[in-house]
Amino acid sequence: MHPALQAERARAAALVARDADVLSALLHADLRYVHAIGIRHDRDGYLRTLQTGPRFLEVTLTPEQILDLAEGAALSGRLFMRLQRDGEVIEARSWISSLWLRGSEGWRLRLFQSTREAA
C-alpha cells in the first residue's frame, strides 16, 4: 500500500476515534482543507472541528489514482462518510483530491479538496 494512502487511512481512523494527537501529527502546518459544503479550514480550524463538529462514525476513501511526486503524492478518489450531527446520522459521498507531502517527520496532509458527489 502506498505510504500516502496509509497516512490517509490513519487520518480517517483518527477522525472516527476523535484522536486529536494522531490527527495533529498527520497535518501539515500550512494545511488548507476545503469541505464539500464549501467551508475552508486551516490546520487549527480543522482540528477544532474534531472537537466541536459532527461525530464521525465511518470515513472510507476508495482511491482511484495515486500520483507520485518529487516531495510527496497526490491522491484522488471517492470519500464516504457517515457522521452524526445534532442527533441525526448523515451519509455523505464526495470526490476528493489531496496532496500529501513527505518530510523528515513522515507524511503530512497539505491540501484537501472535496466535492459533493452528484445525485
Side-chain angles (χ1 to χ4, degrees):
M1 179 184 307
H2 195 283
L5 182 55
Q6 287 178 317
E8 179 60 45
R9 293 213 167 129
R11 184 184 74 84
L15 284 171
V16 172
R18 286 198 133 163
D19 191 331
D21 292 334
V22 169
L23 189 59
S24 179
L26 291 167
L27 304 179
H28 193 278
D30 294 325
L31 173 69
R32 293 297 175 263
Y33 193 104
V34 182
H35 299 266
I37 59 174
I39 297 171
R40 183 186 74 86
H41 284 114
D42 60 12
R43 184 178 187 273
D44 292 339
Y46 182 67
L47 287 169
R48 273 193 302 278
T49 65
L50 180 65
Q51 303 303 320
T52 62
R55 171 86 176 140
F56 293 92
L57 305 172
E58 180 182 352
V59 179
T60 304
L61 173 68
T62 304
E64 289 210 338
Q65 186 175 44
I66 301 173
L67 299 173
D68 281 309
L69 305 170
E71 296 179 15
L75 301 177
S76 62
R78 296 177 78 184
L79 179 66
F80 170 78
M81 296 187 304
R82 193 166 50 87
L83 48 104
Q84 186 173 17
R85 178 182 298 135
D86 300 325
E88 180 183 359
V89 175
I90 301 164
E91 291 186 353
R93 289 174 175 77
S94 60
W95 291 98
I96 67 98
S97 295
S98 62
L99 176 63
W100 286 85
L101 298 181
R102 178 181 44 240
S104 61
E105 297 178 357
W107 289 81
R108 301 288 184 266
L109 181 62
R110 173 62 177 86
L111 178 65
F112 188 93
Q113 168 70 54
S114 180
T115 303
R116 185 173 292 155
E117 196 173 273

